[in-house]
């Protein structure tokens, strides 16, 4: 006989969690509005597109193969540091990796001029930044993008 707590870890009797690194989050992959259930397929697709085994990808990301397997199968949820490491290694945005929303590739400055432009834009007052963006979009025929 055992009594389970909210993480489904037996507190009396047989411990069904023996050999597991940590208890499975019962909410992971259960709620479609969280959109985390597709993280597994996105991660696996990225790995397979690079032609990597789970073991090779795990080494590059800095986690164990077993943990990567659990993430890909939905048995475990990756922590923030792991998500950042995955996104950096595969050069995808964290937003796209975790939710499937937004651009797949992260926005990065390609040269020092772009980096300076972005820095200046971020330091502008909001009204000036909005006017500057509108001007730049009009000049580049991208006014419909705003």
């Amino acid at each position: 006989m055992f009594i389970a707590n909210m993480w489904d870890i037996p507190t009396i009797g047989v411990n069904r969690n023996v050999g597991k690194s940590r208890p499975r989050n019962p909410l992971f992959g259960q709620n479609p509005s969280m959109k985390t259930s597709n993280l597994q397929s996105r991660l696996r697709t990225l790995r397979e597109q690079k032609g990597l085994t789970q073991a090779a990808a795990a080494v590059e990301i800095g986690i164990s193969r077993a943990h990567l397997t659990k993430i890909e199968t939905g048995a475990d949820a990756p922590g923030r540091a792991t998500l950042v490491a995955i996104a950096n290694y595969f050069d995808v945005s964290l937003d796209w990796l975790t939710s499937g929303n937004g651009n797949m590739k992260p926005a990065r400055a390609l040269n020092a001029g772009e980096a300076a432009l972005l820095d200046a834009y971020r330091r502008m007052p909001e009204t000036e930044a909005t006017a500057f963006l509108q001007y730049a979009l009009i000049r580049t025929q991208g006014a419909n993008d705003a």
Side-chain angles (χ1 to χ4, degrees):
M1 180 172 141
F2 65 91
I3 300 170
N5 62 21
M6 68 177 267
W7 291 102
D8 196 28
I9 300 172
T11 54
I12 301 173
V14 178
N15 187 345
R16 293 179 291 167
N17 232 16
V18 171
K20 295 183 180 179
S21 59
R22 65 180 185 185
R24 180 179 179 190
N25 182 339
L27 301 178
F28 182 71
Q30 302 288 325
N31 185 348
S33 67
M34 290 173 59
K35 295 186 179 179
T36 54
S37 61
N38 290 327
L39 168 70
Q40 300 92 341
S41 61
R42 281 188 292 279
L43 176 55
R44 183 175 181 170
T45 300
L46 288 169
R47 179 180 58 78
E48 289 174 346
Q49 285 175 347
K50 278 198 168 212
L52 297 173
T53 63
Q54 284 183 335
V59 167
E60 295 296 329
I61 295 166
I63 60 174
S64 71
R65 186 212 47 84
H67 186 51
L68 181 59
T69 299
K70 288 179 181 181
I71 294 169
E72 284 189 2
T73 60
D76 202 357
R80 186 181 193 297
T82 301
L83 286 170
V84 170
I86 292 168
N88 287 338
Y89 177 72
F90 289 109
D91 193 30
V92 296
S93 72
L94 195 54
D95 186 39
W96 178 84
L97 179 65
T98 58
S99 68
N101 296 326
N103 293 325
M104 181 178 176
K105 293 292 180 181
R108 291 196 179 109
L110 300 177
N111 55 47
E114 285 184 6
L117 183 62
L118 180 59
D119 181 57
Y121 176 83
R122 288 180 176 166
R123 288 185 284 128
M124 287 181 187
E126 187 175 344
T127 56
E128 289 180 33
T130 302
F132 180 77
L133 178 60
Q134 289 299 319
Y135 172 76
L137 292 173
I138 289 169
R139 294 278 297 149
T140 60
Q141 302 298 320
N144 293 334
D145 296 338

